[in-house]
Amino acid sequence: MTKQELINTIAERAEINKIDVEHAINTAFDVAKETIANGDSIFIRGFGTLSPKRRQAKVARNITAGTSVVVPETIVPHFKPCKAFKGQVNEIQVIND
């Protein structure tokens, strides 16, 4: 699903103007990005937690050149779904298999 498909679906289900839905989604994403960039987490009950996660520095190999390259430590966004969400996704996968 693309962002535009998400906007269309929400607008249809909630019977709200697409422009208002797009503005709300863009604002929510902007706030989420700012919050994670500031080192804070976002907990959404029934969905999961978005948080910054520290990725350790490591030595990787450049296969083409055959040399070792040091990859520096970085902070990346991380999503951990809640138990109910994981269960719901698992039920859908079991039905489709």
Side-chain angles (χ1 to χ4, degrees):
M1 175 178 277
T2 65
K3 182 177 172 184
Q4 193 58 50
E5 291 170 338
L6 176 65
I7 290 167
N8 293 340
T9 302
I10 292 171
E12 184 179 305
R13 287 188 188 181
E15 298 177 0
I16 300 173
N17 185 332
K18 289 181 186 179
I19 294 170
D20 294 337
V21 173
E22 182 174 11
H23 179 66
I25 287 177
N26 287 337
T27 303
F29 287 160
D30 289 343
V31 169
K33 287 187 273 188
E34 290 170 11
T35 302
I36 301 301
N38 289 333
D40 296 326
S41 297
I42 300 172
F43 173 71
I44 303 170
R45 188 173 303 280
F47 189 68
T49 303
L50 288 160
S51 60
K53 187 173 185 177
R54 184 174 305 276
R55 190 175 285 167
Q56 298 284 336
K58 63 181 180 179
V59 177
R61 270 192 72 72
N62 180 341
I63 297 173
T64 308
T67 59
S68 296
V69 178
V70 176
V71 179
E73 181 178 276
T74 60
I75 297 176
V76 295
H78 175 72
F79 175 69
K80 182 178 179 186
C82 73
K83 187 175 181 180
F85 183 38
K86 284 195 268 185
Q88 184 179 5
V89 171
N90 189 39
E91 286 178 20
I92 293 169
Q93 288 179 347
V94 170
I95 291 170
N96 289 335
D97 287 343

